Every structure is written in C-alpha cells, then in structure tokens.
C-alpha cells in the first residue's frame, strides 16, 4: 500500500486550481495524470522582471516592469473585431499603449481603471517606431508589488495550455507537497551539499539564475539522484529475488557443441569463447543465471546462444529461444536447423501463426520432451505452452521486452530456468545499468573472421539518379540491395506511403525485381517477400525500418538509406548492419536532404568514421540524451523525468553502488533508512519492487 504521506502527490491534476476537464487532458498529455507528475515537470527557462526603466528608455524585445498611470481606454469599433483594444499608459517621461486582442471591456476597466497607478510587466514591442506592450504578463496595484514575481520560471508547454495556468497549478502542487523522511545516506548528502527533498523540489521550481536550470545545480542533481536511486534499488531487489530462487547446476559434456563447431564455417572468436566461459560458469552454479549478452551487429550472438542452449540439451533438459517478431523467429529457426541437424538435436518453431493440429502436435511433443529446442515469439508466454523440463531460455532483442516478461519466462521452468538475454543494439554503459541492473553483462566486441568493413558514404539527395544507376550496376553483378525509406514524422501510415511511392518509382525502373515490406503488411505477406529476396527472385527490397533488427541475407551488399538525417544513430547502425554479412564487399549510402542541422551532421559524420557499435551508442547518448535512445515508451527501458543520463552518469554509478550496498546489508529494508527508502520506491512508482520484500 502506498504510504499515506504520499496521497497528496498522487491526487489527480484536476484537483489543482484552474485545471478543469479541458486543461486536465492537456496537462496529462504533457506531464502525466498526478500532481507528482506535474512536479517532475521542471522549468526550462527564466524571465527576469527586475529591469524597471521609464517609458522613454524601454528597448524593443526586452522584458520590462513599468510603474505607470492609466489613461484613455480606446475600444475597437463595434463591427471590426480585428482591431485591438488599446489602453494608453504614461509616466513622467512619455506614454505608450497596452494592446489587447479579443478583450472583455469590463475586465480591462476593472484591471486598469483610468487615472490610477499600476505596475505592468511584459515584453516591449516597437510598432512603427514607438513602444507598446501586448497582453502584459502581470498587472498589479502598487501596494501589492510583492505579488509580482521578479524572477519567473517558464515551463515547456503543449498546444492549448497557457503558461500562466501551468505555473499556477505547479505552485499549488508545491504547496501540497509533504516533507518526506530523508532516504539519502547523510555523509553522501553532506559531501554533495544537497538540500532535503522538499527544499530541492521547491528550489528547482523557483530558480534565481540561469545556473539553477543546469542539471548539475544542487537541487536538480539531488532530485535526479533520488530518481536514479529508486530505479537502481528496484532493479537490485528484482535481481536479489531472481537470484534467491534456487537454480540448478547445468553442466553439459560438450558432445553436441563439438558437432556444431565442426559444422560451422568459421572458428569462434575470442570474445565468443570468453562469453561462453562466463555463461558456462553461471549455468554450472546453483543460482539462476540472468545474463545480458551484448553484441554488435554481426558479432555472432546467435551462435553463442545456441551453444548455451546445447549445454542444457546435453544435460538432458530443454531450451527455448524467443524473438520479438515472427520474421526473426522463422529466420532463427531456419538458421539453426542445419546446425541442430548436424548434432542430432530436435528443433521446432512456435509462433502465433501455428494453429490447429500442427500446434497441438508441437505442444504435445514439447510436453513429452521430444523437442529439445523451441524457437518462437511471444507465443512462448501463452499458458498452454508447457515444457517437460525448460532449463535455458534465450531472449533475443531484449530491449523489446521489459523486466516483467523476464520474470514471466523464468516462471515457465519450474525448478530454475537460466535466462540469457541477447541484444544487437549496443547500449551505453549508463543505459545498461538503468535497464539491466538486475543482470550480469557479457560483451562481444569482435566480428567473425572474413567480415569486411562496410564502405559508408554520404550522398546528397540531388544525386538520386546517380544512386539509382549505382544500384543498377550492383544488381547486374547479382548483388542484392536494400532501399530504406524515410521516417515521416511519427506516423506509421505516412512511412508506408513514402515506401509505396519509392517502390512505385523503382518498379518503373527495375520492373519485377523490386519487392516491398512495411509494418502494416500481414506477417505471411512479409515473410513471402523476404523469402523471395533471400532466394534472389527479388534483388531490390524497398522497406520501412521493419528490417532494422536481425534480418540476415548474406548476398545483400548494398544499403541505401533515404533521408538518413532523420534517423537516430543506433537505428542507422542497425540498418547498416543488414549488409556486410557475407564475404562480398558492401556499401552503405546515406542519402541526405539539406540543409542538415548540427546534430544530424554529427550523426552522419560518426557513421562515416566508425563501425564500432559501442562507440556509436555512447555518441548517440551524448547527442540525443537517453529519453529517445531506444524509444523508451516502446522498449521496456525506464523513462526518466528528472535524471538526464548523459549529464548524470556519475550519479547513476553512485546510485548503482548505493543500491547494491543497501540490498546486501538490509535485504528486506528493515534497517534505519528502510521506511524512507520504501517511501522513495512508492514516490517514483517502483511499487513492483516492494512486492519482493518479505514484509512488503
């Protein structure tokens, strides 16, 4: 149960003054449904109202606070609503009008009575050489001068939500915020000279100078650390729970692995052997394995995953490989089948498409233990999927799944399933901690022998006809070509339209050798087009980013990415990784439309300079910040509101260490800091972790 002290923070935003049903929807879209969400929405700018010039000395475009006497009101003509309402104001140095559009006469006469003094504050605009102020931000009686905020924080907005209403709601939220018990270690807090939680929250919303808006200001750094600590503590509790559930030692005798190694066209790399040694040690221990295998594009993760599964099969148990899409699951099954056959291992495939008798037969053979390795999609989670003895689960492209699904899959194995998670998206170390702090990590940093570097070139879209000719020459030699269409805003439908348009144009040039795949096609249609591309019936594949992950066609040696400036670095790297998978020399053409912004320019430059996915991932984090890096909303990655992982990476490392220490010394959170730490977990909605405590 959420502690009562937090109830005011989890009230709906509609409980705040000025937030009616219309604005509630906008606030919810901008920040979230609760008062706490609004308090995590920190200011991004400052307005300084301390400049107090006379009218004769005001300057165009600046914010000024003036003491004036109200003069003549000039309402617009009755029939012309487009003319503004003017109120003339003056001081001993001159006069100027205040301009109001769509104004209510009674309101203005009440706020600005003729002949009286008022303090007005707002932006000065010069019109035909003379100053005016349109819709002053503040109009205050001189005796209420204290009500005028001299330094005013401004917030990021969404269309239709006025700054004033948002400021008012946030200030009301701050007044309701309770003073919470201190969860930070006193020595750590003192070392950083951080205020208490409530003082930090208030200071972050009432900045006094531009430096207070920076991520390293004491108030913001303190709040960021709180959020990071809640994330790391929750992961540490999940990790402890997973480790505490008894595993069982799994040790293969190597006979199946030796058969597969013989059948492989290449020897394992040093990095693959090192990762396997770490996996073997985990599997042989009496604790459940939970390991992340990070490999750059084409570094041979799947072979490592297969070897790990074979250990389980050698020990008389079963293994499963789960992929995020049907294309990938079928591709894994097709790629692993000959290797399994060479070792006499029974492999089967289960996706949502298998129905009726075929599905029943697979499930029956799985339950009886006749199937050694099952490859599938989310369908493996379904209740009717029962293994005789699942000892090893390999999850591919983990960033598509969250922590809950990891727990769910482990539950399939009864006596202690080992889990190996694989990702071809190199993840910066800081993000590895936030998303996978519950796991041990192995990295594959070498490519298998024989892989050639990919020649990456930047080409202006003005030279499109040259690119089409280059594609024609490549196709004439028997090469296969990917042509990836641009991301259009955040719209799947527009992406598809762009792909269909390009498909039409290229079909006109190359006829039936062109195929099309996009996210709105049925799985069977996509698979059919991919099969024709793999067989060579189609040599040019026009696609949206559905081909980003895992599609493997060794004969494909040319990749064209249209509007490359619109893609993130990680995505460009993943797409480029679809070529260069065979022995042939490969080329990646990044087609850009100018003018290109600074960040996009930096991205394209990095792509040209390096193929190292880990270097690219660190650069991507630096350029874009963590929020966008893996598309957090879709990916099971945590989304941070107060912490900026590129700016707060040192705080993250400290939170990781602190969380580990807390869980080692006080695993059930019963010690002196425990009540405060539980409050912290609830504050950042990490309630799930509290269920893992004996007394939670």
């Amino acid at each position: 149960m959420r502690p009562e002290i937090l109830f005011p923070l989890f009230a709906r935003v509609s409980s705040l003054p000025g937030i009616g049903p219309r604005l509630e929807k906008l606030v919810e879209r901008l920040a979230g449904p609760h008062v706490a969400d609004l308090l995590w929405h920190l200011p991004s700018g400052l307005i300084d109202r301390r400049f107090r010039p006379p009218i004769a000395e005001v300057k165009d475009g600046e914010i000024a606070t003036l003491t004036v006497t109200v003069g003549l009101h000039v309402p617009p003509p009755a029939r012309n609503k487009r003319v503004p309402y003017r109120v003339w104001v003056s001081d001993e140095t001159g006069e100027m009008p205040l301009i109001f559009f769509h104004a209510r006469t009674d309101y203005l006469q009440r706020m600005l009575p003729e002949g009286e003094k008022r303090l007005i504050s707002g932006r000065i605009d010069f019109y035909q050489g003379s100053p005016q102020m349109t819709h002053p931000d503040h109009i205050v009686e001189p005796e209420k001068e204290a009500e005028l905020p001299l330094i005013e924080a401004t917030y990021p907005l969404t269309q239709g939500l006025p700054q004033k209403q948002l400021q008012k709601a946030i200030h009301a939220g701050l007044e309701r915020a309770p003073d919470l018990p201190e969860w930070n270690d006193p020595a750590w807090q003192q070392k950083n000279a951080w205020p208490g939680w409530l003082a930090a929250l208030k200071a972050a919303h009432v900045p006094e100078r531009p430096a207070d808006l920076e991520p390293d200001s004491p108030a913001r750094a303190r709040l960021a650390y709180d959020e990071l600590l809640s994330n790391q503590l929750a992961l540490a509790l999940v990790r402890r729970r997973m480790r505490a559930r008894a595993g069982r030692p799994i040790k293969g005798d190597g006979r199946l692995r030796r058969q597969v190694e013989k059948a492989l066209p290449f020897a394992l790399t040093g990095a693959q052997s090192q990762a396997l040694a770490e996996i073997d040690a985990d599997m042989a221990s009496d604790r459940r394995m939970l390991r992340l295998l990070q490999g750059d594009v084409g570094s041979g993760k799947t072979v490592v995953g297969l070897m790990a599964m074979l250990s389980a099969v050698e020990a008389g148990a079963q293994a499963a490989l789960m992929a995020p899409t049907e294309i990938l699951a079928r591709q894994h099954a097709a790629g692993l089948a000959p290797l399994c056959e060479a070792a006499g291992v029974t492999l089967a495939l289960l996706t949502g498409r298998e129905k009726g008798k075929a599905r029943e037969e697979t499930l029956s053979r799985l339950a009886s233990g006749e199937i050694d390795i099952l490859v599938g999609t989310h369908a493996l989670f379904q209740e009717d999927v029962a293994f005789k003895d699942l000892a090893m689960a390999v999850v591919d492209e983990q960033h598509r799944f969250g922590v809950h699904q990891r727990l769910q899959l482990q539950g399939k194995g009864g006596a202690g399933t080992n889990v190996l998670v694989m990702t071809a998206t190199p993840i910066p170390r800081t993000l590895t901690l936030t998303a996978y702090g519950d796991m041990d990590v192995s990295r594959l940093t070498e490519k298998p022998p024989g892989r050639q570097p990919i020649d990456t070139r930047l080409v202006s879209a003005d030279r499109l006809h040259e690119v089409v000719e280059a594609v024609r020459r490549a196709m004439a030699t028997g090469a296969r070509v990917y042509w990836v269409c641009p991301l259009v805003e955040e719209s799947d439908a527009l992406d598809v339209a762009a792909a269909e348009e390009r498909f039409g144009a290229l079909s006109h040039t190359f006829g039936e050798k062109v195929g099309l795949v996009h996210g709105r096609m049925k799985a069977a249609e996509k698979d059919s087009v991919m099969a024709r591309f793999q067989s060579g019936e189609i040599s040019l594949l026009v696609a949206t980013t559905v081909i980003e992950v895992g599609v493997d066609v060794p004969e494909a040696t040319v990749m064209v990415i249209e509007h490359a400036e619109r893609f993130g670095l990680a995505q460009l790297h993943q797409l480029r990784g679809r070529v260069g998978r065979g022995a042939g020399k490969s080329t990646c053409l990044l087609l850009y439309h100018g003018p290109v912004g600074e960040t996009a320019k930096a991205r394209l430059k990095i792509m040209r300079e390096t193929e190292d996915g880990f270097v690219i991932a660190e650069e991507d984090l630096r350029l874009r910040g963590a929020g966008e890096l893996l598309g957090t909303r879709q990916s099971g990655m945590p989304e941070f509101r107060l912490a900026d992982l590129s700016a707060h990476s040192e705080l993250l490392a400290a939170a990781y260490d602190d969380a580990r220490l807390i869980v080692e010394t006080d695993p059930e959170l019963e010690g002196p800091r425990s009540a405060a730490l539980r409050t912290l977990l609830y504050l950042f909605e990490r309630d799930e972790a509290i269920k893992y405590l004996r007394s939670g």
Side-chain angles (χ1 to χ4, degrees):
M1 286 289 288
R2 182 181 289 142
E4 203 169 319
I5 193 169
L6 295 179
F7 286 3
L9 295 174
F10 285 90
R12 304 284 304 181
V13 288
S14 54
S15 66
L16 295 169
I19 306 296
R22 187 182 69 82
L23 289 187
E24 181 185 11
K25 285 195 188 89
L26 296 175
V27 170
E28 199 166 322
R29 189 192 312 152
L30 180 70
H34 301 124
V35 171
D37 295 314
L38 208 45
L39 297 184
W40 303 155
H41 187 68
L42 296 183
S44 55
L46 273 185
I47 296 176
D48 188 339
R49 300 191 184 281
R50 289 175 294 191
F51 181 52
R52 306 275 297 259
I55 287 175
E57 291 174 24
V58 297
K59 294 185 179 68
D60 191 16
E62 70 189 359
I63 300 287
T65 300
L66 312 176
T67 305
V68 296
T69 302
V70 180
L72 189 65
H73 280 236
V74 185
R79 289 191 210 86
N80 193 345
K81 295 289 183 211
R82 283 185 299 182
V83 175
Y85 191 116
R86 287 182 172 81
V87 179
W88 286 87
V89 295
S90 62
D91 64 11
E92 55 277 11
T93 71
E95 63 173 4
M96 66 179 222
L98 306 181
I99 306 293
F100 299 90
F101 289 93
H102 310 295
R104 288 203 340 261
T105 304
D106 56 338
Y107 169 77
L108 289 180
Q109 285 174 344
R110 196 167 64 250
M111 292 299 289
L112 294 159
E114 288 183 26
E116 294 206 12
K117 280 204 178 332
R118 285 292 181 267
L119 274 173
I120 57 169
S121 186
R123 185 175 301 281
I124 300 291
D125 299 305
F126 272 61
Y127 178 67
Q128 295 180 344
S130 300
Q132 61 181 32
M133 189 184 285
T134 304
H135 289 279
D137 300 328
H138 296 275
I139 302 171
V140 176
E141 295 166 31
E143 56 274 20
K144 293 181 181 172
E145 187 172 342
E147 291 178 13
L148 182 75
L150 293 179
I151 303 279
E152 191 171 8
T154 59
Y155 294 87
L157 296 172
T158 188
Q159 195 173 359
L161 180 63
Q163 184 73 244
K164 237 177 187 162
Q165 298 295 97
L166 186 63
Q167 289 168 335
K168 186 178 170 187
I170 287 172
H171 283 287
L174 283 172
E175 282 170 23
R176 296 184 190 184
D179 200 1
L180 299 175
E182 185 54 69
W183 43 73
N184 276 315
D185 174 70
W188 170 245
Q189 190 176 352
Q190 196 175 348
K191 180 187 169 201
N192 288 290
W194 283 344
W197 176 76
L198 186 57
L201 188 66
K202 288 183 171 171
H205 282 284
V206 189
E208 292 182 1
R209 54 191 187 281
D212 295 339
L213 298 171
E214 296 298 324
D216 59 356
S217 69
R220 288 198 177 211
R222 150 86 211 220
L223 295 174
Y225 185 77
D226 293 340
E227 184 174 32
L228 292 168
L229 180 59
S230 73
N231 163 264
Q232 290 299 302
L233 184 55
L235 282 171
L237 290 167
V238 171
R239 177 191 179 93
R240 181 183 154 271
R241 184 212 183 188
M242 285 178 160
R243 296 293 159 88
R245 290 164 69 175
R248 59 169 178 179
I250 295 283
K251 200 160 172 47
D253 55 16
R255 64 196 156 80
L256 299 176
R257 278 191 183 185
R258 282 192 292 275
Q259 297 291 332
V260 166
E261 280 202 58
K262 270 189 220 156
L264 284 172
F266 48 78
L268 295 181
T269 63
Q272 284 173 314
S273 301
Q274 169 66 33
L276 273 170
E278 290 165 356
I279 290 164
D280 289 346
D282 281 359
M283 289 177 74
S285 83
D286 58 2
R287 296 185 320 175
R288 289 186 177 209
M289 174 172 83
L290 187 57
R291 183 169 285 278
L292 173 68
L293 179 64
Q294 276 192 306
D296 203 347
V297 178
S299 58
K301 291 174 308 302
T302 313
V303 170
V304 174
L306 174 61
M307 294 297 195
M309 292 192 288
L310 290 175
S311 282
V313 178
E314 287 169 357
Q318 291 167 298
L321 169 60
M322 184 171 78
T325 66
E326 200 161 313
I327 287 185
L328 265 179
R330 290 184 181 281
Q331 186 178 291
H332 277 313
L336 296 178
L339 296 171
C340 287
E341 207 172 301
V345 169
T346 309
L347 176 124
L349 175 72
L350 184 69
T351 68
R353 213 197 299 175
E354 274 69 47
K355 301 244 176 4
K357 277 198 174 150
R359 178 184 166 85
E360 280 168 31
E361 190 188 333
T362 301
L363 292 180
S364 152
R365 290 170 63 220
L366 187 68
S368 70
E370 197 184 322
I371 292 171
D372 299 313
I373 295 177
L374 181 67
V375 178
T377 54
H378 282 75
L380 300 189
F381 283 141
Q382 289 168 2
E383 278 179 32
D384 62 345
V385 179
F387 293 80
K388 184 183 182 191
D389 182 12
L390 177 65
M392 177 76 195
V394 178
V395 182
D396 192 24
E397 285 311 320
Q398 165 59 36
H399 71 268
R400 306 293 174 93
F401 307 118
V403 176
H404 301 310
Q405 284 157 310
R406 297 208 273 272
L407 288 167
Q408 213 175 342
L409 190 65
Q410 271 199 321
K412 286 271 180 205
T417 307
N418 292 293
V419 174
L420 176 69
V421 152
M422 308 193 299
T423 178
T425 307
I427 302 169
R429 289 183 190 281
T430 46
L431 284 190
T432 304
L433 283 185
T434 62
Y436 308 114
D438 56 326
M439 309 174 91
D440 296 308
V441 180
S442 296
R443 280 184 161 196
L444 297 180
T445 50
E446 302 168 56
K447 289 195 176 181
R451 286 280 170 99
Q452 294 196 34
I454 299 166
D455 179 11
T456 302
R457 302 179 191 187
L458 305 184
V459 184
S460 163
D462 304 341
R463 297 168 56 199
L464 183 68
H465 63 286
E466 292 174 42
V467 173
V468 172
E469 282 312 305
V471 165
R472 188 195 300 280
R473 288 194 299 275
M475 286 165 67
T477 67
R480 266 164 250 155
V481 180
Y482 290 108
W483 190 301
V484 176
C485 287
L487 290 164
V488 186
E489 298 165 350
E490 285 293 303
S491 161
D492 193 25
L494 290 174
D495 283 355
V496 170
E500 285 172 339
E501 192 178 327
R502 178 57 65 212
F503 169 68
L506 291 170
S507 297
H508 187 67
T509 307
F510 298 113
E512 292 182 358
K513 298 299 277 179
V514 188
L516 171 69
V517 290
H518 58 69
R520 294 206 163 182
M521 289 164 76
K522 292 198 167 77
E525 273 181 278
K526 268 190 282 200
D527 287 352
S528 154
V529 177
M530 285 308 302
R532 289 167 63 213
F533 185 57
Q534 274 165 321
S535 72
E537 188 187 330
I538 291 169
S539 10
L540 174 55
L541 184 67
V542 177
T544 56
T545 54
V546 290
I547 59 145
E548 177 189 338
V549 173
V551 175
D552 192 7
V553 181
E555 297 80 6
T557 54
V558 180
M559 165 66 72
V560 179
I561 302 174
E562 214 176 322
H563 271 292
E565 76 280 1
R566 292 184 187 172
F567 291 85
L569 255 177
Q571 217 171 11
L572 286 171
H573 180 63
Q574 285 292 323
L575 289 166
R576 175 170 64 182
R578 297 306 105 218
V579 295
R581 302 176 83 82
K585 189 158 173 41
S586 292
T587 307
C588 176
L589 302 177
L590 302 175
L591 270 177
Y592 65 89
H593 289 244
V596 175
E598 285 307 309
T599 305
K601 208 176 282 176
R603 280 202 294 265
L604 297 175
K605 182 169 175 279
I606 292 156
M607 284 296 292
R608 208 179 53 207
E609 288 170 358
T610 181
E611 275 187 69
D612 183 326
F614 291 102
V615 170
I616 284 171
E618 295 293 346
E619 282 299 306
D620 204 12
L621 177 63
R622 191 178 65 74
L623 289 172
R624 280 207 291 171
E628 289 179 68
L629 200 58
L630 291 176
T632 43
R633 288 187 186 283
Q634 291 83 39
S635 68
M637 291 288 285
E639 196 172 357
F640 292 107
R641 308 285 303 278
L642 301 165
D644 171 351
L645 293 185
S646 39
H648 295 130
S649 57
E650 286 177 21
L651 291 183
L652 173 63
Y656 175 78
D657 291 340
D658 193 9
R660 285 288 174 101
L661 189 63
I662 291 164
V663 170
E664 277 166 28
T665 54
D666 182 17
E668 295 296 337
L669 295 193
E670 293 166 335
R673 282 169 77 186
S674 62
L677 286 166
R678 286 171 185 242
T679 303
L680 172 72
L681 289 170
Y682 278 114
L683 176 65
F684 286 102
E685 298 182 83
R686 300 289 195 272
D687 313 20
E688 197 62 33
I690 294 177
K691 294 177 188 165
Y692 303 146
L693 300 170
R694 238 199 334 262
S695 45

